[in-house]
Amino acid sequence: MHGDPMMWVAGVRALYLQALHPLAVRAVMQNSDFRRDAWGRLMRTANFVGTTTYGTTEAAELAGARVRRIHGMLSATDPATGRPYAIDAPELLLWVHCAEIDSYLHVLRRSGYPLTDAQADRYLAEHRVSARLVGLDPAGVPADRAEMAAYFAEVRPRLAAGADARAVDDFLLRPPTHPLLVPAREVLWRRVAQLAYASLPPYAHELYGRPAPAPAAVTRGLRVTGTLLRGIPARLRWQLPPKHILRAMARLGPGARPAPYKAGR
């Protein structure tokens, strides 16, 4: 799944969803320079996902230790109470994890990636390992689609689209770029951001206050985009940083090549 090009759309959806938790997004706003280093932040996230997916066990453990160490040194201020809080609080880590993994699964399946319900549940269960790496107790992390749905139903009353979430929304639609690249941003990036936003759950659209196209139209858009992106030769796509897939294939042999058709076996 993580070798599929629709992961980029899924990643933007995850950012939209994560921003709806007031404390989680406040932690990002106070501890991150994402406005001026958007590409760097995106690559650091891609590097972590790539390492935990395709790297060695040792590399994944080291990546997790680094994330835990950095998070353990940081704090933020609750915008409602003015009180400081640790950004590695289990509630916040769990929200970020679930918003991310749910987005990956939702976008890929909805865009036509071949995955059965049982395989989708297995995907969520396997990600309890990545949850452990960032500091969560795997026993408290949703292990299948039913548990994930129950989690989102439970956390829904605590979500809101405040000033921080709207700043993220504005940034994702119009990320700063070189003046010569503005036309490309408007033609290409804005479409990715709009498609990612459209794939959010209805309550997210309600909170952000912007309507989304009809669900059937969104699904068509995801499928068309997935078909077009999957038409790009895989090795060309895998040349993009951070090249984890190519390194894993070199280490494990050609039989390790990611291929969607294997999911149906």
Side-chain angles (χ1 to χ4, degrees):
M1 285 178 62
H2 289 181
D4 191 88
M6 288 299 286
M7 282 286 288
W8 293 100
V9 177
V12 177
R13 181 191 191 265
L15 294 176
Y16 271 118
L17 195 54
Q18 289 166 348
L20 290 176
H21 193 299
L23 295 184
V25 71
R26 169 54 47 169
V28 173
M29 299 296 281
Q30 291 189 345
N31 291 283
S32 172
D33 193 21
F34 79 93
R35 287 188 180 90
R36 284 179 290 183
D37 187 30
W39 182 250
R41 179 174 174 81
L42 182 63
M43 285 298 99
R44 287 190 291 273
T45 300
N47 186 64
F48 180 78
V49 174
T51 299
T52 57
T53 304
Y54 298 106
T56 64
T57 299
E58 179 183 11
E61 293 289 352
L62 287 174
R66 181 177 183 275
V67 168
R68 295 194 304 272
R69 183 172 64 254
I70 293 174
H71 285 175
M73 296 187 296
L74 302 176
S75 63
T77 302
D78 188 331
T81 66
R83 296 175 181 172
Y85 62 92
I87 72 169
D88 61 354
E91 175 191 355
L92 304 184
L93 294 178
L94 184 60
W95 168 252
V96 171
H97 170 85
C98 290
E100 179 181 321
I101 303 308
D102 176 77
S103 292
Y104 296 164
L105 185 61
H106 178 89
V107 168
L108 263 68
R109 295 192 82 190
R110 198 171 175 185
S111 67
Y113 191 93
L115 212 64
T116 66
D117 288 346
Q119 289 165 337
D121 286 341
R122 176 182 170 184
Y123 177 78
L124 295 177
E126 288 178 351
H127 266 287
R128 286 181 294 178
V129 175
S130 64
R132 175 185 64 78
L133 289 173
V134 298
L136 284 165
D137 179 358
V141 177
D144 56 35
R145 289 168 299 124
E147 291 183 7
M148 185 67 82
Y151 167 76
F152 280 113
E154 187 273 331
V155 78
R156 166 67 182 87
R158 301 197 292 277
L159 305 181
D164 290 337
R166 298 192 182 283
V168 171
D169 179 24
D170 183 67
F171 173 83
L172 290 175
L173 285 175
R174 288 172 290 272
T177 188
H178 190 280
L180 294 177
L181 297 178
V182 169
R185 181 190 67 182
E186 296 302 306
V187 173
L188 299 175
W189 175 259
R190 183 177 287 265
R191 292 186 179 183
V192 170
Q194 289 174 338
L195 187 58
Y197 176 85
S199 68
L200 288 167
Y203 67 79
H205 298 145
E206 179 182 344
L207 290 173
Y208 276 115
R210 294 208 319 276
V218 176
T219 300
R220 283 196 301 272
L222 288 168
R223 285 184 172 270
V224 169
T225 303
T227 299
L228 291 174
L229 292 180
R230 290 167 189 139
I232 301 173
R235 277 195 169 272
L236 178 61
R237 290 190 273 108
W238 297 342
Q239 291 290 343
L240 296 172
K243 299 184 177 65
H244 288 295
I245 296 176
L246 295 177
R247 286 197 290 268
M249 289 169 56
R251 186 176 73 250
L252 300 173
R257 181 182 185 275
Y261 70 84
K262 293 179 181 177
R265 293 179 177 175

